[in-house]
Amino acid sequence: MGIEEYGRDRNHYSARYPQHANHRLVSKTGASKRAIIGGQILLGGVIWMFSFFLPAAVPAIPFTLACGPILNLSPAQVQASRKQPGIYFFPHLPPEVPSAQIRNRIPAHPPAAAGAAYLIGAPENMPAGFEALNVSEGRKSSRAAGQDAPPVLPESQTRFKLQSTFILSNGYRRDDFSWNIAGDLSGNNPNVLSELTWDDLEICWLKLQNQTVGSRLFYLRGHLNYGRILEGDNRDSDFGGDNRTSEFSRSDNEAGDGDVWDASLGVGYPLRLFEDSPLEIAPLIGYSYHQQNLKMRHGRQTLATPGTTPPLGPFPGLNSSYETHWRGPWIGVDLSYRSKELKAFMHRMEVCFSFEYHWADYRGSADWNLRTDLARPQSFKHDADGDGIIVSAGFNIFFNPHWALNLSYDYQDWSTDDGVDKIFFADGTRGATRLNEVNWKSYAIGLGIGYRF
């Protein structure tokens, strides 16, 4: 939206203000010919400012907008416009606009009168100023004069903007995962019977993520992530006494295989503390799913009990697996900072932080290939309720309005309450004991490239 010339021909402007002749409009559909360095494109306008000193009977002053409507402003409306935040009054068109937020000005030709003044504002401020002027009165007046003028509304109501950013990134992730069970459903005999841990799982991952904002009406964020486990260690320990005492079996195994999946989608509403704020806050609700396919290979018995466990040393044939599923809703908040356009080697930079709290329905399923007394492919399964947090940070460097370099960091911490370990025996019978807890922590860093539509 811009302000257009009205009144007498544009040559009067050049004669009256020759030092600003190169800033005049060339036509109703033309744009300004020069831009003043600063932040955002300025909308300027010319209004006859002296009318508020005249008696109330003086008719309202018409002026034309580039988008078509003719507004009739009363002296009170003109005076109110000077008080709006982000709209500045100048008795003469200045060579430099003092606000760093305003980059360009588009002067209009002054009316045929003894003097003129200028109201200059950024695009974000002008709609609020028009609302404060009660422009509906001007629209009624112009229609009464036989002019079919479309209504003047704030830009947020007349123009739907959809901004979508896709980022494809690759990186390194490290996971630590563990679970343990008791000897019975009451959590005794002993309170920790068996414990398995997967430590230092080194994962190479690939992530596709998207952020879409629609005219400050909605905020959408989602991602899909796949990772391959390259390295890792597994330990399987069994105990005869409470609190992990009387350990009678321990094997240390390789876990450098398997993969992980993550998917999440959230929707929210973007908020700003004030109109021109570079900070944006978006409260969100969403749903996520996480899966880990963990392996146990190349077994080695490191603590043995004769007659009960394999002897010390390597044992062949270990090819067991444990698969996890975490799914459920979450709530969170995104905080982002977007800089002004820069003149350095980059176009713009952005910093983003996010926090999510998750409720999780946890499911785990095991295939223990060396336990001949257990069924296959499902030897036992775990059910529990849990929760988790995800904290993320991102840094985007835009080299132009579309292409960006992305740096990211993610931290996750998940755990469950006590649940049930359901055991399936090879003869078709079943058993159950208490699942004490499941714990999962993850750290990830990434480097990617983004494109904004």
Side-chain angles (χ1 to χ4, degrees), residues 155-374:
E155 184 178 0
S156 60
Q157 300 181 32
T158 59
R159 182 181 178 187
F160 181 79
K161 291 183 179 179
L162 187 67
Q163 184 182 84
S164 187
T165 305
F166 286 88
I167 297 176
L168 181 64
S169 56
N170 176 251
Y172 169 84
R173 168 173 151 182
R174 192 185 75 176
D175 283 17
D176 295 317
F177 179 86
S178 67
W179 57 261
N180 64 79
I181 59 173
D184 58 31
L185 282 171
S186 63
N188 299 306
N189 300 314
N191 57 10
V192 177
L193 171 65
S194 182
E195 183 171 50
L196 279 89
T197 62
W198 283 262
D199 294 325
D200 300 330
L201 298 176
E202 298 184 4
I203 303 168
C204 179
W205 55 264
L206 184 69
K207 178 191 290 186
L208 177 64
Q209 53 188 319
N210 173 260
Q211 180 191 82
T212 299
V213 182
S215 288
R216 301 187 187 177
L217 299 177
F218 69 89
Y219 179 95
L220 187 69
R221 171 169 63 80
H223 75 264
L224 178 65
N225 177 40
Y226 173 77
R228 189 73 187 174
I229 301 175
L230 304 178
E231 298 287 343
D233 300 314
N234 164 258
R235 173 170 286 187
D236 182 354
S237 296
D238 298 314
F239 305 93
D242 285 344
N243 303 318
R244 298 179 178 84
T245 59
S246 302
E247 185 177 6
F248 63 88
S249 177
R250 183 197 307 151
S251 66
D252 290 294
N253 318 301
E254 294 183 9
D257 197 3
D259 52 23
V260 298
W261 289 89
D262 302 277
S264 180
L265 181 64
V267 62
Y269 185 79
L271 301 171
R272 290 188 178 181
L273 299 180
F274 51 90
E275 187 69 26
D276 295 328
S277 174
L279 292 175
E280 184 174 83
I281 301 174
L284 295 149
I285 59 173
Y287 193 89
S288 71
Y289 172 79
H290 310 267
Q291 177 180 321
Q292 298 150 307
N293 301 309
L294 307 176
K295 306 295 184 181
M296 300 163 60
R297 303 282 191 271
H298 307 294
R300 184 180 184 86
Q301 194 73 23
T302 54
L303 191 154
T305 299
T308 304
T309 67
L312 294 175
F315 56 89
L318 180 62
N319 188 24
S320 295
S321 63
Y322 184 79
E323 183 175 288
T324 76
H325 303 268
W326 308 74
R327 56 169 65 90
W330 57 267
I331 59 173
V333 61
D334 282 6
L335 175 65
S336 62
Y337 169 83
R338 178 181 295 189
S339 74
K340 303 292 183 181
E341 293 185 9
L342 304 174
K343 280 190 167 183
F345 68 94
M346 69 182 74
H347 171 72
R348 186 193 302 276
M349 64 179 180
E350 299 175 358
V351 182
C352 306
F353 296 93
S354 67
F355 175 84
E356 300 170 8
Y357 178 81
H358 292 247
W359 291 269
D361 177 22
Y362 176 79
R363 298 289 183 269
S365 179
D367 180 6
W368 258 217
N369 76 306
L370 295 183
R371 289 284 300 270
T372 58
D373 60 326
L374 298 180

Side-chain angles (χ1 to χ4, degrees), residues 25-86:
L25 294 180
V26 297
S27 68
K28 281 193 173 184
T29 60
S32 62
K33 290 194 174 182
R34 292 190 60 187
I36 297 177
I37 297 175
Q40 304 176 357
I41 297 179
L42 159 115
L43 296 181
V46 180
I47 302 177
W48 177 246
M49 300 295 297
F50 289 44
S51 58
F52 64 89
F53 293 106
L54 300 178
V58 175
I61 303 169
F63 70 97
T64 304
L65 302 181
C67 55
I70 298 177
L71 299 182
N72 295 318
L73 299 183
S74 68
Q77 289 173 325
V78 174
Q79 185 175 12
S81 68
R82 298 176 58 179
K83 301 178 181 179
Q84 299 307 306

